[in-house]
Amino acid sequence: MGRIPCCEKENVKRGQWTPEEDQKLSSYIAQNGTRNWRLIPKHAGLQRCGKSCRLRWTNYLRPDLKHGQFSEAEEQTIVTLHSVLGNRWSVIAAQLQGRTDNDVKNHWNTKLKKKLSGMGIDPVTHKPFSHLITEIATLPPPQAPNLAEAALGCFKDEMLHLLTKRRIDLQMQQCGTAPPNHNICIKPEDNKDDTIEKIKFGLSKAIKEPDLFPINMPWDPVGATSVNLDRSFHTYTGSDSGFHYELASLGNNGDVSPWSQSLCTGSTCAGGDQHGHLHENLENEQGENSGTRKETRIGSSIFNSDCSLWDLSSDDLINPII
DNA sequence: AACCAGAGCAACCGCAACGCT
DNA sequence: GAGCGTTGCGGTTGCTCTGGT
C-alpha cells in the first residue's frame, strides 16, 4: 500500500539486454559490487530497473555461472531434490554448482517434466501414474470420483503428452469400419477430448475394479509399475467402454536414462507412503514454523537419518540446506 | 519459400520475507 | 513494534529459434 514501485515504468528499458548493457553492468559490479540494486542502474548508466539488473546479473552475467547443457548427474540431482522439496528452485539450484534457480526451473519445465511423464511417472508427486490411480481406487466411493476428477486436472497435460509423444498405438480403426459397440474411432487430430475420456475411463475402471490394481504395490519406477499400467490398460481392450486402445511403449522401454534407475531405488525408497510422509513432515513443519524465512522452512527433518528416500548423501551436498 | 507449431530460454511480475530506522 | 525499502523467490509471459509441412 502506497509502496513505491521498484522502478518507474517510463524511461526504463525492458526486454532483451544488449552486449553494451551487459558490459556496463558487469564492469560496474566488478568495481563496486552489488550493494544497492536500485542505485546500480543509475550509477552504471543503464536505463534499467534495479530488479532487472539484479536478475540479469544473477541469472546470466555472474562469472561463476555455468552455461550450457545439464549433465545427467545434474538432472538426477534435480529430480531427486524435487521429489523431496518440490518447486523450491533456489534450494535445488544451490546444490548445483553454477546453476541458477531460473536455469533449474526452466530445465525442469521444458525437459525433466516431460522425461518423467514419458517414463510414466507423475512429475508432481514422483509416483507412477498407475500408483496414483491405485491410490484413488482404494478410496471409498464418495471421495474417489471427486479425487479422480481432480486428478484428471493434474495429470491431463502429462497424460496427453505421454499418449501423443510416446507414439502410443491407440489402434483406432477407421470411422465407419468398426462394428457398432466395438471400437470407437479417434483420429489423432481430434483425440484431445477423447484422450481425456480415456483417462477418465481408466480412473473409473480402477475405482470400480480395484482388484485390477494391486494395492500396496512397491513403487518401482524402473519397470514394474509401467508394465502394470500397461497391462491394466490392455485389460480394457475391447471392453464395454466402447473404445479400444493399448499402450505400446509406456514406461522405460528403450531410452532409459541412467538417472531413472536411481530415482527411487530398492532399499532407499520404501514406497509412496513414505514419500508422502516426507511431504507431510515438510508441510507440518511449514505450518508450525510459518513466519520463519523460506530457507529455514525447508527444515531439518527431511534430511535426518530417517530419510531413506534421500539418494544423495549429505556429504554430496554442495551447500548445506539446513 | 512461406507458414506454423512447439521447444527453449530470458525476462518480467507479484508477493513474501528480511533488515534497517 | 511499526513502517518502509530492499532482496529473494516462484510463477508466468513472451520472444527467438528450429523443425516440420
Side-chain angles (χ1 to χ4, degrees), chain A residues 112-305:
Chain A
L112 297 181
K113 262 169 84 173
K114 292 167 190 169
K115 214 166 179 177
L116 286 178
S117 295
M119 291 159 57
I121 296 171
D122 174 34
V124 177
T125 62
H126 292 257
K127 294 178 183 180
F129 290 122
S130 59
H131 189 251
L132 293 164
I133 291 171
T134 301
E135 287 189 346
I136 291 169
T138 62
L139 292 171
Q143 294 175 6
N146 290 340
L147 199 60
E149 197 68 28
L152 273 174
C154 300
F155 306 155
K156 190 178 69 182
D157 289 345
E158 281 69 25
M159 294 292 273
L160 286 172
H161 182 267
L162 194 64
L163 290 165
T164 55
K165 297 295 182 186
R166 297 285 294 178
R167 297 181 180 281
I168 292 163
D169 177 15
L170 297 176
Q171 289 197 343
M172 298 307 163
Q173 299 190 4
Q174 289 298 320
C175 290
T177 60
N181 296 327
H182 186 252
N183 293 326
I184 289 177
C185 174
I186 301 177
K187 297 174 195 165
E189 59 267 25
D190 65 6
N191 71 352
K192 196 152 185 166
D193 290 336
D194 292 319
T195 302
I196 294 170
E197 288 307 311
K198 280 178 239 162
I199 298 168
K200 282 185 177 180
F201 168 71
L203 289 169
S204 64
K205 197 78 178 179
I207 292 162
K208 287 178 190 167
E209 302 175 39
D211 290 348
L212 292 171
F213 299 85
I215 311 300
N216 296 328
M217 178 178 58
W219 182 25
D220 173 17
V222 176
T225 53
S226 298
V227 169
N228 187 64
L229 180 60
D230 193 21
R231 192 195 66 207
S232 298
F233 281 109
H234 275 286
T235 305
Y236 309 137
T237 298
S239 73
D240 58 1
S241 71
F243 62 80
H244 167 119
Y245 70 101
E246 57 187 354
L247 301 174
S249 61
L250 185 62
N252 297 301
N253 304 338
D255 57 346
V256 182
S257 174
W259 53 259
S260 68
Q261 303 285 338
S262 59
L263 276 175
C264 181
T265 54
S267 62
T268 63
C269 180
D273 288 341
Q274 184 179 8
H275 185 219
H277 286 312
L278 285 167
H279 281 291
E280 271 178 31
N281 290 342
L282 182 59
E283 291 304 317
N284 290 340
E285 188 157 330
Q286 283 177 343
E288 289 165 13
N289 296 332
S290 62
T292 59
R293 190 171 169 73
K294 283 181 185 176
E295 280 73 13
T296 58
R297 280 198 322 224
I298 301 308
S300 57
S301 64
I302 41 178
F303 300 107
N304 66 17
S305 57

Side-chain angles (χ1 to χ4, degrees), chain A residues 9-198:
Chain A
K9 297 290 179 190
E10 58 271 17
N11 296 328
V12 171
K13 194 172 171 234
R14 295 160 57 89
Q16 294 281 43
W17 281 65
T18 64
E20 290 75 27
E21 287 177 312
D22 284 345
Q23 170 62 29
K24 280 183 180 176
L25 183 60
S26 294
S27 59
Y28 178 83
I29 289 175
Q31 288 184 335
N32 303 284
T34 59
R35 282 181 64 87
N36 189 327
W37 284 111
R38 179 185 276 266
L39 297 176
I40 282 176
K42 192 189 288 182
H43 292 163
L46 291 163
Q47 288 193 316
R48 290 274 182 178
C49 146
K51 203 171 181 176
S52 177
C53 291
R54 181 174 57 79
L55 215 59
R56 183 63 178 171
W57 173 255
T58 54
N59 285 342
Y60 193 80
L61 295 176
R62 258 169 47 201
D64 59 323
L65 289 183
K66 193 194 289 181
H67 298 286
Q69 295 276 317
F70 277 73
S71 66
E72 289 281 341
E74 285 176 317
E75 289 189 340
Q76 180 182 332
T77 302
I78 293 169
V79 172
T80 307
L81 289 170
H82 186 272
S83 71
V84 180
L85 298 168
N87 295 356
R88 305 206 181 282
W89 306 119
S90 60
V91 182
I92 295 171
Q95 303 307 321
L96 298 169
Q97 199 81 55
R99 301 293 188 185
T100 68
D101 54 347
N102 213 32
D103 281 338
V104 173
K105 181 173 58 184
N106 282 335
H107 192 63
W108 173 265
N109 286 328
T110 58
K111 300 271 185 63
L112 297 181
K113 262 169 84 173
K114 292 167 190 169
K115 214 166 179 177
L116 286 178
S117 295
M119 291 159 57
I121 296 171
D122 174 34
V124 177
T125 62
H126 292 257
K127 294 178 183 180
F129 290 122
S130 59
H131 189 251
L132 293 164
I133 291 171
T134 301
E135 287 189 346
I136 291 169
T138 62
L139 292 171
Q143 294 175 6
N146 290 340
L147 199 60
E149 197 68 28
L152 273 174
C154 300
F155 306 155
K156 190 178 69 182
D157 289 345
E158 281 69 25
M159 294 292 273
L160 286 172
H161 182 267
L162 194 64
L163 290 165
T164 55
K165 297 295 182 186
R166 297 285 294 178
R167 297 181 180 281
I168 292 163
D169 177 15
L170 297 176
Q171 289 197 343
M172 298 307 163
Q173 299 190 4
Q174 289 298 320
C175 290
T177 60
N181 296 327
H182 186 252
N183 293 326
I184 289 177
C185 174
I186 301 177
K187 297 174 195 165
E189 59 267 25
D190 65 6
N191 71 352
K192 196 152 185 166
D193 290 336
D194 292 319
T195 302
I196 294 170
E197 288 307 311
K198 280 178 239 162

